[in-house]
Amino acid sequence: MAKCAMRKMRRKGLASMAVQTVATAKNVDLGPAAALSCRECGERFDLGPIFACELCFGPLEIAYDLPTGDPEGLRKRIEAGPANIWRYAPLLPVPADVTEKPNLNPGWTKLVQADNLGRELGVEPGKLFVKDDSGNPTHSFKDRVVAQALEAARAFGFTTLSCSSTGNLAGAVGAAAARAGFRSCVFIPHDLEQGKVVMAAVYGGDLVGIEGTYDDVNRFCSELIGDPLGEGWGFVNVNLRPYYAEGSKTLAYEICEQLGWKLPDQLVIPIASGSQLTKIDKGLQELIKLGLVEDKPYKIFGAQAEGCSPVSAAFKAGHDVVRPQKPNTIAKSLAIGNPADGPYVLDIARRTGGAVEDVDDEQVVEAIKLLARTEGIFAETAGGVTVGVTKKLIEAGVLDPSLTTVVLNTGDGLKTLDAVAPTTGPTATIRPSLDAFRDAGLA
């Protein structure tokens, strides 16, 4: 069966529940966003809160009228902008006055030159970088995508902000809604890490635990969208998904700008739904087309945890379609067994000459500690996955240690303390005396 046809079958059930009859928004101001375009068949639709093609059930994404012809002027305009994602407003689906509205204003996080980690991994000095997105308002990259979705929700007149979440997104939605004066109601698997549950609940919105996996939560949300109960609700990663997903492009923009308007040679990106990886690639391609960076080859590597590695398994088997898995890993933020963008991740990894790899839970924990010990960055489990996969790819000779490489850390380790707590604690417990300190061998 053709690859496109198999993808259609995979999405048809979900799309049939979630394609809504909505009033299109021809007069909505979303900056350079011109239309919605189907990734599979190319059909275009007016901007609106829909995410699946009505003809082939393929996913929709934003089509733009981007500024062209003056790359130097655009570069200067960006550099003069605010130190957050809105410096890239000319390239995003947001109105020109986005900075005047209440928003958490995420982004412009640190790109850390990780020479200490590089020495441990055998990477040449000055070649390894960690894009540390734990510095965002709710300490994960999800603030970027939610900020985009919030502007779409405003434009379409929604009053409630919602999502299905493996944890980080729930907190980002709760915080963004509180800041913007929206009601929030978010849905999570019932067995999330306690730190993420607390962070999602503290903002005062409704938090609902669903008995089951993230995929069960996502299906429930798709059903709610098609029910009168969901009227007026903007689900950031469902009916607002085309807008939401564009927030991940800002990682590509920032990385290149922070490298002096240069493309990295290699990127290692975690895979949950796969959307972050596909949008980073889209962002890099846009920078090339706009003349903001010099065109050159780059490789994209996807990273998964072994206990939920459907994309990695498909890549290694040479398949074009991702077979769903039941998650069983400590990397719960990546525990999506049926990733929506999985097939597109495979396309990008193969097109760029990259790969998709996975590491087991023990390697995840070791990598979290390695990054903390070498660079002072305490990553959540997703960051342990990317660092662990980077190490594995270097050792296998797949990732070139002489090339400029950017590894993504997408969240704060304080959210996933349970992963490292069993093997991390005091070096010693002593009486308050110098003799006791000497006896412990620490002097």
Side-chain angles (χ1 to χ4, degrees):
M1 183 181 293
K3 177 165 62 174
C4 181
M6 293 185 74
R7 289 179 181 175
K8 289 179 188 177
M9 289 181 62
R10 181 175 176 273
R11 291 189 178 89
K12 186 172 182 180
L14 177 61
S16 63
M17 290 187 292
V19 173
Q20 298 172 290
T21 302
V22 297
T24 56
K26 295 181 182 179
N27 298 319
V28 165
D29 178 14
L30 286 173
L36 295 172
S37 176
C38 177
R39 280 197 210 175
E40 294 289 353
C41 71
E43 185 71 17
R44 287 167 73 99
F45 301 86
D46 291 327
L47 296 173
I50 56 174
F51 72 95
C53 177
E54 296 174 1
L55 301 182
C56 75
F57 304 106
L60 300 180
E61 62 179 5
I62 308 293
Y64 289 95
D65 290 326
L66 292 176
T68 58
D70 184 17
E72 187 58 32
L74 179 57
R75 190 181 293 114
K76 289 180 179 178
R77 180 180 173 186
I78 289 170
E79 290 173 345
N84 55 54
I85 61 173
W86 306 133
R87 68 197 287 114
Y88 307 109
L91 311 180
L92 297 171
V94 294
D97 63 350
V98 63
T99 57
E100 300 172 16
K101 300 175 181 179
N103 195 296
L104 293 179
N105 301 327
W108 203 243
T109 55
K110 293 179 180 179
L111 182 68
V112 179
Q113 183 172 317
D115 287 344
N116 295 333
L117 176 62
R119 278 194 295 272
E120 294 265 354
L121 300 183
V123 178
E124 291 185 8
K127 296 296 185 180
L128 183 63
F129 296 84
V130 174
K131 180 59 171 171
D132 184 14
D133 242 26
S134 66
N136 277 309
T138 69
H139 308 285
S140 91
F141 95 94
K142 292 294 187 182
D143 290 319
R144 297 175 182 269
V145 290
V146 171
Q148 298 291 324
L150 175 60
E151 296 312 313
R154 287 192 223 268
F156 300 135
F158 289 125
T159 56
T160 297
L161 210 60
S162 186
C163 70
S164 52
S165 174
T166 58
N168 283 325
L169 181 57
V173 167
R179 169 70 176 141
F182 277 62
R183 179 203 173 197
S184 69
C185 183
V186 300
F187 300 89
I188 59 174
H190 69 286
D191 59 349
L192 278 189
E193 302 98 332
Q194 185 63 20
K196 290 180 180 177
V197 172
V198 172
M199 189 166 189
V202 75
Y203 300 108
D206 292 315
L207 178 67
V208 181
I210 300 291
E211 295 177 358
T213 67
Y214 171 80
D215 298 292
D216 296 318
V217 179
N218 205 34
R219 281 191 292 271
F220 169 80
C221 289
S222 296
E223 292 174 8
L224 183 55
I225 288 174
D227 190 275
L229 288 171
E231 185 176 349
W233 287 39
F235 285 80
V236 301
N237 55 344
V238 188
N239 59 351
L240 295 176
R241 187 175 183 84
Y243 313 91
Y244 158 95
E246 295 294 284
S248 289
K249 295 193 309 181
T250 61
L251 280 161
Y253 300 157
E254 287 180 21
I255 288 168
C256 290
E257 184 178 355
Q258 290 169 329
L259 288 174
W261 292 107
K262 295 179 182 178
L263 291 169
D265 298 308
Q266 303 172 136
L267 298 99
V268 185
I269 304 170
I271 299 170
S273 72
S275 175
Q276 183 187 70
L277 187 149
T278 62
K279 294 307 179 184
I280 287 176
D281 178 66
K282 183 181 180 183
L284 297 176
Q285 290 296 311
E286 287 176 351
L287 293 180
I288 292 169
K289 291 175 183 176
L290 290 167
L292 293 174
V293 297
E294 182 182 352
D295 189 4
K296 70 171 188 176
Y298 60 85
K299 294 182 179 182
I300 291 184
F301 298 89
Q304 293 201 290
E306 186 180 283
C308 186
S309 53
V311 187
S312 175
F315 181 86
K316 293 175 182 178
H319 295 162
D320 293 322
V321 177
V322 176
R323 183 177 181 178
Q325 294 181 357
K326 184 175 181 179
N328 181 23
T329 174
I330 60 170
K332 293 184 179 180
S333 62
L334 303 183
I336 298 180
N338 191 16
D341 279 29
Y344 301 106
V345 170
L346 295 172
D347 292 344
I348 290 168
R350 289 166 179 154
R351 188 196 81 226
T352 65
V356 185
E357 187 54 89
D358 56 79
V359 285
D360 62 31
D361 284 355
E362 184 177 347
Q363 291 170 309
V364 172
V365 173
E366 290 174 356
I368 291 172
K369 292 181 177 180
L370 174 63
L371 181 59
R373 174 170 58 80
T374 56
E375 299 296 343
I377 298 172
F378 184 18
E380 72 161 6
T381 48
V385 169
T386 53
V387 173
V389 164
T390 301
K391 181 175 185 290
K392 188 173 182 178
L393 291 172
I394 291 172
E395 291 172 348
V398 176
L399 194 148
D400 190 336
S402 70
L403 299 179
T404 300
T405 302
V406 177
V407 179
L408 269 65
N409 172 45
T410 53
D412 195 320
L414 291 174
K415 294 186 177 187
T416 56
L417 289 173
D418 289 350
V420 295
T423 57
T424 307
T427 304
T429 300
I430 63 171
R431 300 185 309 279
S433 72
L434 294 177
D435 287 342
F437 184 61
R438 292 190 189 94
D439 291 344
L442 301 174

